[in-house]
Amino acid sequence: MADARLAVPAAPTAATKAPPRTPRRRRSGRSAFLFLLPWILGFVFITAGPLIASLYLSFTNYNLLEPAVWTGLSNYRQLFTADPRFYTSLAVTGVYVAVSVPLQLAFALALAVFLDKGIRGLNFYRSVFYLPSLIGGSVGVGLLWYTVFGYDGGVNQVLRGLGFSDLPNWIGNPDTSLGTIVLLHVWTFGSPMVIFMAGLRQIPAELYEQAGLDGAGRFKQFRHVTVPLLTPIIFFNLVLQLIQAFQAFTPAYVISRGTGGPADSTMFYTLYLYIQGFTRFDMGYASAMGWILLLIIAIFTGLNFLFSKYWVFYND
Amino acid sequence: MTSPTLTKSRTDTRGPELRRRSGRRHSTLKHVALLIGSIAMLYPVLWMLKSSITPESDIMTSFSIIPTSITWENYRIGWASGVGGGIPVYIVNSLIVVIGCVIGNLVSCSLAAYAFARLDFKFKNVAFALMLAGIMLPYHVVAIPQYVEFASVGLVGTYWPLILPKILATDSFFVFLMVQFLRGVPRELDEAAAIDGAGVFRTFFSIILPLMRPALITTTIFTFIWNWNDFFSPLIYLTDPAQYTLPLGLNSLVSTESGSGLGPLLAMSVLSLIPIALFFFFTQKYIVQGIATTGIK
């Protein structure tokens, strides 16, 4: 690519004598700029620029066709005082995050501990448990869920086979539809599990040996050796999974056919944002929603870090 | 890895033979539990596989994962279904987008990572912090102004809004991954190259880039899988069915009800997951390393 340009001759004396610091540094600065050029353009036009623009748009009324009209806090006022659907979407996402993230992490930790002790076939099990993480967010799996949890889908066949009757249409029923999406998310516990497994490998074997000599059984070892030493990893997974869960979109869209139904029971926050911004083209309103989401995620992440000093144990 | 004997507690006073046997039983139990767990985890996928080769009328009446009669009809009908060219066109479109994204990420992220890891420049720490902050930024916050931007230059309805962000190194995750990787590459190599008269560009292309292979492979795998699965951006930017990527096309098979039915829908869903499964089976080592070092999904 830039091979022709790199004929910048290096100081021939370099081998015997270090060149004066300043010119070399300046040259380094100039080439650093070239290396960073794509990133700088991306930062300005794809990340930071739009981030600031969306803050501006959130104070306007804008539909893409006519110029944005400044309306001050009106979008935010509308959201918080006159839009029950906004609260519904917050509640749906809140329930989703609050139920699926802890469950997912619990499964991940349990399986990681279970798989840790040099078990035969480790690679096989790890693959099986990890695979859903790669495909869980895809449209293909969303459609599978849509099929399996539909009225006569596979799940009801199994339950009927077990003797249950009077079974609901899991997706068509507002009481159970969100549950199917939570289940889909919990199913993808493989990626935090692999991170836990890597963390477990860092725990020195001597500690278990010592604990064993002190008479600690497996459960006590787990409680007093594994968990404390793993808290930094638990914290890391928690932060990561929370951020990701707040942004869930595809399964909700695919399973509810883009409606958030039935009765708004799967109206995820991002789905409502999408509906406002890209089907109603109320882009000022959707931008306000975007910033609220950003603040929510920032607050949760900040609280996480704040509380981490009470329970995360750093061994250094 | 810790050896299993370490977990034996001191109170175990049984003879070695007895202990070994109970250990074996314990481990058999464990394997049985794990196998049941594995089947439960894979059940949805296996059921989908089996249903994709089951005659339409039998799909919903059986929860078994063992096929009774095999038919390729679902694949044949599914392959020919869809609007605007259908599945084969969606696959080609997806490949165009994904390959563009992979090349974009490989080039731009490695360039940026080299600058962050090895070069000296003003505001380096600030720039690095901003880059890291980019990892946390939810896409939905910037999606709208980005759309406005792309619309104003007439790029809505093209693949550029999907590929350009990658060419401009906005997947901070991979920049971070590569910076971390470069921290493990000895600086002496750079210095030796400089002593031999190589400039920074030459050092980068002939010394550093080849050494970065593992990080580049991880980046390729995850860029491929994520963008192959990506649904939100294509949904926003692609309106002409002839341009649909596979996820968008698959989703439209339900909404248009183009008469294809459940069997073909599942068959095409299986088809959409095959490239991911292939990547997974052949590059597992890199995937596991990638997640373990950076926490990628």
Side-chain angles (χ1 to χ4, degrees), chain A residues 45-46 125 157 187 240 257, chain B residues 31 41 60 146 149 251 295:
Chain A
F45 291 106
I46 308 289
Y125 293 123
Q157 294 294 341
W187 188 53
L240 209 70
R257 308 309 310 141
Chain B
H31 278 287
M41 284 298 279
M60 278 311 186
Q146 263 184 36
E149 229 175 358
N251 183 60

Side-chain angles (χ1 to χ4, degrees), chain A residues 139-177:
Chain A
V139 170
V141 167
L143 289 174
L144 171 66
W145 242 246
Y146 176 71
T147 311
V148 167
F149 288 101
Y151 178 61
D152 257 334
V155 168
N156 279 358
Q157 294 294 341
V158 174
L159 293 176
R160 212 166 290 145
L162 294 173
F164 289 91
S165 59
D166 208 15
L167 296 161
N169 174 345
W170 299 89
I171 284 172
N173 183 338
D175 294 331
T176 50
S177 53

Side-chain angles (χ1 to χ4, degrees), chain A residues 6 28 31 38 45-46 50 54 114 120 125 127 134 138 147 152 157 187 213 240 243 247 253 257 286 290, chain B residues 10 30-31 41 60 111 120-121 136 138 141 144-146 149 168 200-201 229 231 251 254-255 284 291 295:
Chain A
L6 53 91
S28 169
S31 37
F45 291 106
I46 308 289
S54 94
F114 207 50
R120 211 177 291 162
Y125 293 123
S127 306
L134 284 181
S138 69
T147 311
D152 257 334
Q157 294 294 341
W187 188 53
L213 288 176
L240 209 70
I243 292 175
Q247 300 178 57
Y253 185 97
R257 308 309 310 141
Chain B
R10 190 172 54 116
K30 205 168 175 178
H31 278 287
M41 284 298 279
M60 278 311 186
L111 286 172
D120 243 346
F121 55 93
M136 304 282 174
V141 185
I144 284 162
Q146 263 184 36
E149 229 175 358
L168 299 180
V200 273
F201 288 93
N229 277 343
F231 180 64
N251 183 60
V254 189
S255 7
Q284 246 197 80
I291 315 161

Side-chain angles (χ1 to χ4, degrees), chain A residues 39 43, chain B residues 116 121 123-137 172 176 183:
Chain A
W39 179 80
F43 183 74
Chain B
F116 282 125
F121 55 93
F123 308 119
K124 184 168 161 174
N125 290 337
V126 179
F128 192 69
L130 289 174
M131 191 273 294
L132 284 184
I135 298 177
M136 304 282 174
L137 186 68
S172 305
F176 177 63
R183 285 193 173 140

Side-chain angles (χ1 to χ4, degrees), chain A residues 24-25 60 110 115 141 148 261 269 296:
Chain A
R24 194 178 168 186
R25 247 205 128 143
T60 68
L115 285 179
V141 167
V148 167
Y269 193 87
I296 291 174

Side-chain angles (χ1 to χ4, degrees), chain A residues 203 221-232 234 311-314:
Chain A
I203 299 178
Q221 290 182 17
F222 175 76
R223 175 78 188 75
H224 296 291
V225 178
T226 311
V227 170
L229 287 175
L230 216 53
T231 47
I234 297 175
W311 64 275
V312 177
F313 170 72
Y314 288 101

